Amino acid sequence: NFSWDFVYSEYLMSGNAQFRSMVWQIAEDYACADLLLRLPGHCPMPAFREVVDVPLVVRHSRKTREQVFGDLGLHPEQKLCCFLYGGQPPGRWALRAECLPPGWTCVVCAGGDRPGDAPLPPNFLLAPADAYTPDLIAASTCMIGKIGYGSVSECLCAGTPMVFLRRDYFNEEPFLRRLLQLHGRGVEIRRRDFLEGTWAPFLLQAATLRFCYPGPTNGGEVVAQRLEEVAATRQATPPAEPLPSKGGAVAGDENGAGKPARAGSVRLRDAIVWGYMMHRHNERDKVEVPDWYTRGLPPSAVPQPSALARDLAELSQRSASSAEPGVRMPSPCGTPRGPPLQLEHWRLLEGGEALPVCRDSVEFLHTLALLDEPRPPDGAAPSAEVPELRAARGLFRWDDDVIVTRAPGRLDVMGGIADYSGALVLQQPLAEACHVAVQRHPLGKQRLWRHMEARQRKGGPQPALRVVSFGADRANRGPAFDMDLPELLAADGGPIAYADARAYFHADPAHSWAAYVAGALVVLMREKGATFPDGLSVLVHSAVPEGKGVSSSAAVEVAVMQALAVAHGIALTGRELAMLCQKVENHVVGAPCGVMDQMASALGEAGSLMALRCQPAEPLPPVALPPHLRLWGIDSGIRHSVGGLDFGTVRAAAFMGLRIMSGAAAKLAAQGSLCAPAKGRAPADEPHNPVPLGGGYLANVAPSEFAQLYEDALPAALTGCDFTAEYGRHWDAATQVREGTSYPVRRATAHPIHEDCRVRHFHRLLTSGPAPDAGEQLALLGELMFQSHASYGRCGLGSEGTDRLVALVRAEAAAARAALAEPPLYGAKITGGGSGGTVVVLGRAGPEGEAALARVVAAYAEGTGGYSAQVFSGSSPGAARFGHLRLQRSAPPPPRPSSDASLSSMASM
């Protein structure tokens, strides 16, 4: 189910040349194989020339449940749990009697006790040394442990549900987990609950699953036949008469569709998904495993809506008969259809002025109302609901206020990474946005998931935070997060330090995304003196795609921060909202971003560019786009370039350059060679250091001054060790200088100096009144964008995909000029932090520009093996302009009993 070139594929992205060559050597060796016999739940393995899919190769049980219970001395009515974690001794785990529900027994499959280990609790027993693990799994009500092919295959074969713990940084894990989820056999347990022994709620939920694996399990026989054929003929040809499987399907084709797909299409699917994984190698919590890949279907045979959209569509159909007149059901993809949706679902108490121009917000309100629909009964088909939808059902009390906010992503038009150097930046808010719903829960009304109830029984009732993120399953994240709010307090009762908060959220990679949400609580406590005496429910639903350089994280931070502030009566200006969100990203998440992303999401205006002077964050009047100009974004599909540097390295290099230039300026001033010496003070903790040049902002250094006085004095490259030895700190709290890293100091320093000049010219061209010659204006704007893109590349922040898109835009313009026509497209540049992501394109508004953009997208698809790039078009108001909605359900359903399954739905993830 995996190959070693895939396991070591990260070396292709970040390793040295020797490691990369080893991975390629492994792949070349695999290409010499006659045949790959590929198992269900497989990883991408495109190196093999010939591929045949085979059924599960699995160990079958030998004993009945009654025989196993007799061997273990258990009563037939007892519930049995099998704990399997790689043969590690039981003393490694804090096993306690209360880990299990009453009446349950757990058999531990382990390597035996170690000297000094505590005895097992009375409801735990150690499996005999000669016990056959498949017998124990088949006899158990459920199994708990880590994901691996052996445990997953044996659970599927036996029909035993698996309570599983994610294995972070284990390349095979997402594919095996998806195999479990597709067949409704998996219940996810968070690392925290696993280590603390809060197992009972998850075991009880697993015990309700009643599904059988529909595929054949005679893989051993199929493989044996194949091996005989290959050994006899040395050819990888399919057998004339495939063996029949247990379920009547053709052996080697678990879908029962006849002969398996041949290697061409199989290798293409593998190559595509392998590319997905490699593009995300430095964002390991964002691995995507497409449904069509794990199901073994070609992409063309699979509907496009996501699993969540399908679930919501099904809910819409169930509720259509009871819908009030004028209520429109959302389409599976969330696109409007039919007559306009009225808000009969809700009573609007505050806000709503922006709803007519934010149709996606109306759709979100309908999605929110669908969560109040009846939950499918236990035992329903496994595809009935995705995990995040199950968890979201129990979030809100429908008889009380819900706060809804909206924050868009942004398209970086000009300025980009120069924001941290004080440059002027121009940003367009996107039409795509993140919506957040928040509700407070006084302790007497607080609803908890079952595992939270079990945790709080130990220490008494406490206000708790519950968060559900729609779309988490697609991005390989845990779909829900919870914590007791007192965990955000230090020993003295005050808020915990930022460093402690960062360590807390990073402890579990599958749920580290919660730092973007819960981090807002930490910042409000530390910066605004806020307290949170009530429990909180937070639902996050973002249409801003991740990893495409359009500030998906800023959209989440701004929407969450605004919703929490409104819910607790904390008044924030748009600027203050953005500045607090930057603290979340810098201090809690630990990402060294500037402030432009959060400012654009908070202060953007539809149809205009947000102009921001980042010293530190001074908004200028919005820049209205002229009617003859249009901006688009094209996603390159690349998360990180093979040869590119990371954003943090380039940022640190720029501050290193500022430090070196400041020292040079001090020497020039002492010699009388500098007409305008630096003003201000040296850092308080470094009184002997020079005064920071430009007030600490490289953008305040003129390009001519830089070229004449400083550029040649800057090293082209400098190691962190050499810099620290000569200059000490680099004056940037958001990055660290790593001793063994080589920093491109000269080019990283030059970029923000020249970029600020380019942005100011771009701004002047758009704000100096109607252009007498629209073509000349567009040409000048486009040239500034091309220059900015080239400067990114010189810093090491380019990528092959973004360079190709920019070249295609250049080609469109050149072809038009060669034909003595006005170009439809004029400029393009990489955006955001670079090294992949989205390219912004400037062109003429109208059908000619749209047609030219379509040609660029088509040419890019042809040159990348069929990649269908997402295009960002249009804009929407920022969070401050949207404001907030305070709502109540207009006709809440009758109250449900406290034992309602939605309260414990988290246990089913």
Side-chain angles (χ1 to χ4, degrees):
N1 71 302
F2 73 92
S3 58
W4 291 104
D5 53 344
F6 181 77
V7 171
Y8 294 130
S9 60
E10 185 167 338
Y11 286 135
L12 294 176
M13 308 301 295
S14 60
N16 60 36
Q18 180 183 2
F19 290 162
R20 286 196 292 270
S21 66
M22 290 171 62
V23 177
W24 287 123
Q25 182 63 58
I26 294 172
E28 289 173 5
D29 292 344
Y30 281 137
C32 298
D34 290 313
L35 182 66
L36 166 66
L37 302 178
R38 194 171 64 173
L39 296 166
H42 56 83
C43 297
M45 293 180 278
F48 291 90
R49 293 179 293 112
E50 189 72 16
V51 180
V52 170
D53 287 310
V54 299
L56 283 176
V57 174
V58 58
R59 299 185 298 175
H60 294 266
S61 60
R62 300 168 181 167
K63 294 183 177 180
T64 65
R65 182 178 185 272
E66 291 73 17
Q67 290 174 319
V68 172
F69 271 47
D71 293 345
L72 298 177
L74 300 177
H75 189 275
E77 300 300 320
Q78 284 184 273
K79 298 284 189 180
L80 180 64
C81 168
C82 180
F83 177 35
L84 183 63
Y85 209 97
Q88 299 184 28
R92 186 184 189 282
W93 313 105
L95 301 178
R96 302 185 305 276
E98 57 268 26
C99 290
L100 305 178
W104 281 58
T105 298
C106 180
V107 57
V108 181
C109 301
D113 291 324
R114 296 175 298 184
D117 283 346
L120 289 174
N123 51 354
F124 283 78
L125 57 91
L126 191 64
D130 60 348
Y132 185 52
T133 303
D135 289 340
L136 298 177
I137 290 177
S140 297
T141 304
C142 59
M143 191 207 111
I144 184 169
K146 64 181 181 179
I147 284 183
Y149 176 81
S151 56
V152 168
S153 63
E154 288 168 10
C155 282
L156 290 175
C157 178
T160 301
M162 182 177 185
V163 177
F164 66 87
L165 184 72
R166 290 185 186 235
R167 297 177 70 178
D168 303 301
Y169 314 114
F170 181 68
N171 281 9
E172 304 98 290
E173 191 267 355
F175 299 88
L176 293 171
R177 176 166 47 82
R178 182 60 62 88
L179 180 65
L180 274 176
Q181 292 172 339
L182 286 175
H183 298 290
R185 306 307 299 164
V187 173
E188 180 180 348
I189 183 172
R190 273 185 60 194
R191 177 177 300 182
R192 169 183 179 170
D193 295 300
F194 177 78
L195 295 177
E196 292 180 352
T198 310
W199 297 4
F202 302 93
L203 299 177
L204 291 170
Q205 179 62 30
T208 67
L209 301 180
R210 296 288 184 271
F211 308 120
C212 294
Y213 178 67
T217 59
N218 63 332
E221 293 91 334
V222 174
V223 169
Q225 179 179 352
R226 280 293 191 177
L227 290 175
E228 289 180 352
E229 293 169 356
V230 173
T233 65
R234 296 293 297 164
Q235 294 179 356
T237 55
E241 296 294 334
L243 287 172
S245 72
K246 290 183 179 179
V250 175
D253 178 12
E254 64 175 311
N255 298 312
K259 292 183 178 180
R262 305 314 302 153
S265 61
V266 170
R267 293 176 71 188
L268 176 60
R269 290 202 303 269
D270 278 8
I272 291 171
V273 179
W274 196 14
Y276 285 176
M277 295 284 282
M278 288 197 295
H279 288 159
R280 293 157 177 77
H281 85 281
N282 62 341
E283 300 179 85
R284 300 303 298 276
D285 57 337
K286 297 181 174 62
V287 173
E288 296 177 10
V289 185
D291 284 343
W292 59 261
Y293 178 78
T294 311
R295 291 180 188 272
L297 300 175
S300 59
V302 178
Q304 293 306 307
S306 67
L308 174 61
R310 292 195 299 270
D311 292 337
L312 293 178
E314 292 171 7
L315 282 173
S316 298
Q317 293 170 4
R318 291 204 300 270
S319 60
S321 59
S322 60
E324 301 173 39
V327 174
R328 173 173 53 84
M329 298 298 134
S331 66
C333 293
T335 54
R337 71 182 184 195
L341 172 63
Q342 306 300 320
L343 295 180
E344 285 89 356
H345 291 292
W346 299 98
R347 186 165 78 251
L348 189 59
L349 306 179
E350 294 175 7
E353 294 80 6
L355 283 177
V357 296
C358 295
R359 300 300 299 173
D360 59 339
S361 300
V362 180
E363 293 290 338
F364 176 72
L365 294 181
H366 193 84
T367 298
L368 197 60
L370 291 177
L371 298 179
D372 196 25
E373 292 295 320
R375 179 180 182 271
D378 291 335
S383 60
E385 289 189 307
V386 290
E388 53 259 39
L389 185 53
R390 288 200 298 270
R393 287 186 175 279
L395 276 180
F396 302 108
R397 294 172 291 107
W398 299 110
D399 58 349
D400 208 344
D401 293 5
V402 177
I403 304 297
V404 172
T405 54
R406 177 191 186 277
R410 65 96 186 96
L411 187 63
D412 168 34
V413 179
M414 288 292 288
I417 61 170
D419 63 340
Y420 55 70
S421 293
L424 176 67
V425 297
L426 299 173
Q427 310 292 306
Q428 177 176 282
L430 290 176
E432 292 80 5
C434 173
H435 286 86
V436 168
V438 167
Q439 187 177 62
R440 293 178 63 169
H441 301 278
L443 276 182
K445 299 181 178 181
Q446 182 170 243
R447 309 175 78 182
L448 300 175
W449 291 313
R450 281 183 183 167
H451 67 278
M452 299 174 69
E453 293 176 346
R455 188 170 67 223
Q456 291 207 2
R457 277 196 291 268
K458 304 171 186 176
Q462 301 181 83
L465 170 69
R466 294 185 299 157
V467 186
V468 175
S469 173
F470 278 174
D473 188 60
R474 296 196 311 271
N476 196 33
R477 294 193 307 264
F481 172 84
D482 63 84
M483 67 180 303
D484 297 329
L485 287 176
E487 295 179 75
L488 297 179
L489 300 177
D492 61 0
I496 62 175
Y498 285 135
D500 294 334
R502 185 164 58 250
Y504 178 94
F505 293 113
H506 285 191
D508 185 355
H511 295 86
S512 60
W513 59 266
Y516 293 100
V517 179
L521 298 173
V522 180
V523 170
L524 287 172
M525 292 164 66
R526 294 192 63 84
E527 308 299 330
K528 302 296 291 184
T531 58
F532 302 101
D534 297 336
L536 290 167
S537 292
V538 181
L539 176 66
V540 180
H541 187 188
S542 183
V544 186
E546 300 175 21
K548 299 185 185 296
V550 289
S551 296
S552 59
S553 61
V556 171
E557 291 158 356
V558 171
V560 168
M561 182 71 75
Q562 186 176 34
L564 290 173
V566 170
H568 294 87
I570 303 171
L572 298 175
T573 65
R575 181 183 182 278
E576 188 177 16
L577 170 66
M579 298 292 285
L580 291 174
C581 291
Q582 186 197 17
K583 289 184 180 295
V584 173
E585 185 123 11
N586 286 172
H587 301 316
V588 182
V589 177
C593 73
V595 73
M596 74 172 188
D597 297 350
Q598 291 81 8
M599 292 292 284
S601 186
L603 295 176
E605 298 282 352
S608 299
L609 300 182
M610 183 208 67
L612 179 72
R613 191 70 173 170
C614 301
Q615 298 191 15
E618 308 308 322
L620 304 178
V623 179
L625 294 175
H628 59 270
L629 181 153
R630 186 71 185 273
L631 292 167
W632 302 270
I634 305 178
D635 166 39
S636 69
I638 295 176
R639 263 58 175 181
H640 185 77
S641 169
V642 172
L645 296 175
D646 66 277
F647 165 75
T649 298
V650 174
R651 171 171 174 156
F655 277 91
M656 292 162 69
L658 174 65
R659 172 63 183 83
I660 296 171
M661 288 170 55
S662 299
K667 293 179 181 178
L668 290 172
Q671 297 167 3
S673 304
L674 193 64
C675 297
K679 297 180 180 180
R681 298 188 201 173
D685 57 344
E686 296 180 346
H688 301 296
N689 274 346
V691 175
L693 187 64
Y697 297 111
L698 284 169
N700 291 338
V701 179
S704 58
E705 182 183 358
F706 173 72
Q708 181 178 357
L709 299 176
Y710 304 115
E711 186 169 14
D712 292 340
L714 290 175
L718 186 66
T719 67
C721 181
D722 291 341
F723 173 84
T724 304
E726 185 169 355
Y727 300 101
R729 294 195 307 113
H730 70 320
W731 299 343
D732 181 26
T735 59
Q736 293 181 340
V737 175
R738 300 183 296 270
E739 289 190 358
T741 300
S742 178
Y743 292 88
V745 174
R746 185 184 300 160
R747 289 180 172 179
T749 305
H751 175 79
I753 294 172
H754 292 285
E755 182 73 0
D756 179 69
C757 186
R758 286 188 287 263
V759 181
R760 286 189 284 115
H761 280 87
F762 198 98
H763 182 266
R764 178 61 61 88
L765 285 168
L766 290 176
T767 57
S768 56
D773 185 342
E776 181 181 7
Q777 180 198 42
L778 291 172
L780 290 172
L781 292 171
E783 174 58 25
L784 291 170
M785 295 175 73
F786 284 138
Q787 291 179 18
S788 177
H789 179 80
S791 184
Y792 263 85
R794 284 193 295 271
C795 290
L797 293 175
S799 75
E800 180 182 354
T802 51
D803 287 347
R804 180 179 297 162
L805 282 169
V806 172
L808 289 171
V809 172
R810 279 189 181 275
E812 278 285 336
R817 291 190 178 102
L820 304 180
E822 288 289 342
L825 303 178
Y826 284 86
K829 64 177 282 288
I830 196 170
T831 63
S835 294
T838 296
V839 165
V840 59
V841 178
L842 179 143
R844 285 186 177 273
E848 293 84 2
E850 298 286 351
L853 188 83
R855 290 194 295 271
V856 168
V857 172
Y860 187 71
E862 183 178 355
T864 55
Y867 178 75
S868 180
Q870 179 174 354
V871 175
F872 301 99
S873 178
S875 65
S876 64
R881 176 66 67 185
F882 181 87
H884 69 275
L885 309 176
R886 187 183 295 272
L887 308 120
Q888 285 186 358
R889 280 301 301 269
S890 56
R896 297 170 180 164
S898 60
S899 61
D900 187 279
S902 65
L903 297 182
S904 61
S905 59
M906 174 58 181
S908 65
M909 277 162 278

